[in-house]
Amino acid sequence: LLFIASLLSSVAHRSSGLATFPLEGTMQMPKLILIDRDGVLNEDVGAPGVLCPSQLKMTPNAGYAIGRLKRLGCKISMITNQSCVGKHLITIEDLHTIHDRLQEILLAEDKDAIIDHIFYCTSLKNSGDMRMKPNPGMIKEAIDLFDMHASSCMMIGDALRDLQAAAAAGVTFRVLVETGYGHDIMKCKSAPPDSVEVVKDVAHYNLEQNCCKGEPSELPFFYAKNLNTT
């Protein structure tokens, strides 16, 4: 990840808070990919979330993206808040059924698109649960499970809480995707189709209501079109 360090360093002295860089041939692949679910792997259906398997619809080429990562030797962990269980809208068994179906859909698109482990938090918002994003608990569990260092990880999410959780866990390579909440967070600005933008200034995006207080921990981050582009 030396490229990432030098890239962020070079961006730091730029007057603009946005910089665009080509995707191809520029970075080493992280070893552990941490992926949010709704809005990243599958399309976000809005509150209260996916309550049955029939509501699952993948983002463009999500299965192919996971398959490519697996063929490159990456481990894949899904990191998702699922308070719908805590609200008693679905059961743990229902959640497992939804995740089983999600895995089936990914494999139907690419035979290698296997998610190695799913971490989920069923607590309610403001519960103080350290596993619930923007807290880092689930990400730290994933790093420990796969015996990785945070510098070898990448977090891909569609909300600031995903990036904040990654930052709190020491993951410096953080990507916000346009799908899900990403487009609104970036003030309805579209991500480039064949490159990524580096965001280092709060002036270029909207702070969510649940943003951590104080200096924004999510900065800097990359902005990409979707999971497959990333």
Side-chain angles (χ1 to χ4, degrees):
L1 297 178
L2 290 176
F3 167 76
I4 301 300
S6 60
L7 173 61
L8 297 182
S9 177
S10 68
V11 169
H13 62 79
R14 294 172 181 258
S15 59
S16 171
L18 290 174
T20 302
F21 296 88
L23 285 174
E24 295 299 326
T26 55
M27 71 179 81
Q28 294 182 358
M29 184 61 62
K31 297 177 181 179
L32 175 60
I33 313 297
L34 307 159
I35 303 177
D36 178 45
R37 195 190 81 177
D38 301 314
V40 180
L41 272 172
N42 58 279
E43 294 185 2
D44 195 294
V45 299
V50 175
L51 303 181
C52 62
S54 63
Q55 292 180 284
L56 286 171
K57 182 179 179 182
M58 298 298 104
T59 56
N61 299 310
Y64 177 60
I66 299 299
R68 286 181 64 193
L69 289 168
K70 292 294 293 182
R71 286 188 287 276
L72 287 168
C74 298
K75 296 293 184 181
I76 310 292
S77 282
M78 189 168 77
I79 311 289
T80 180
N81 289 347
Q82 292 299 321
S83 60
C84 53
V85 177
K87 295 175 182 176
H88 305 294
L89 299 175
I90 62 173
T91 66
I92 286 290
E93 289 73 22
D94 294 331
L95 183 63
H96 290 167
T97 299
I98 291 169
H99 288 164
D100 288 345
R101 178 55 182 155
L102 183 147
Q103 181 65 89
E104 290 174 357
I105 297 172
L106 293 175
L107 287 170
E109 183 174 340
D110 191 302
K111 63 180 179 61
D112 294 323
I114 297 173
I115 298 174
D116 293 292
H117 198 88
I118 297 175
F119 294 88
Y120 57 82
C121 179
T122 63
S123 298
L124 299 180
K125 185 179 178 180
N126 300 323
S127 65
D129 191 336
M130 290 304 295
R131 299 186 72 254
M132 189 174 202
K133 296 177 293 184
N135 294 318
M138 287 190 288
I139 294 179
K140 288 183 176 180
E141 289 174 14
I143 291 172
D144 289 343
L145 178 66
F146 292 101
D147 194 24
M148 297 286 182
H149 190 275
S151 63
S152 299
C153 303
M154 173 173 69
M155 179 73 205
I156 306 172
D158 72 315
L160 295 184
R161 61 179 171 268
D162 301 317
L163 310 188
Q164 291 160 359
V171 176
T172 56
F173 190 9
R174 303 179 289 271
V175 181
L176 180 76
V177 290
E178 182 181 326
T179 48
Y181 292 112
H183 188 248
D184 287 341
I185 290 172
M186 291 297 292
K187 299 183 177 181
C188 298
K189 174 183 173 61
S190 296
D194 56 358
S195 62
V196 294
E197 290 180 348
V198 178
V199 182
K200 70 177 187 70
D201 191 327
V202 295
H204 295 278
Y205 64 97
N206 293 315
L207 294 176
E208 293 179 313
Q209 290 182 355
N210 67 342
C211 179
C212 298
K213 297 183 183 298
E215 187 70 18
S217 63
E218 64 272 6
L219 289 171
F221 60 84
F222 293 87
Y223 182 46
K225 196 73 176 174
N226 53 42
L227 173 63
N228 186 54
T229 300
T230 305

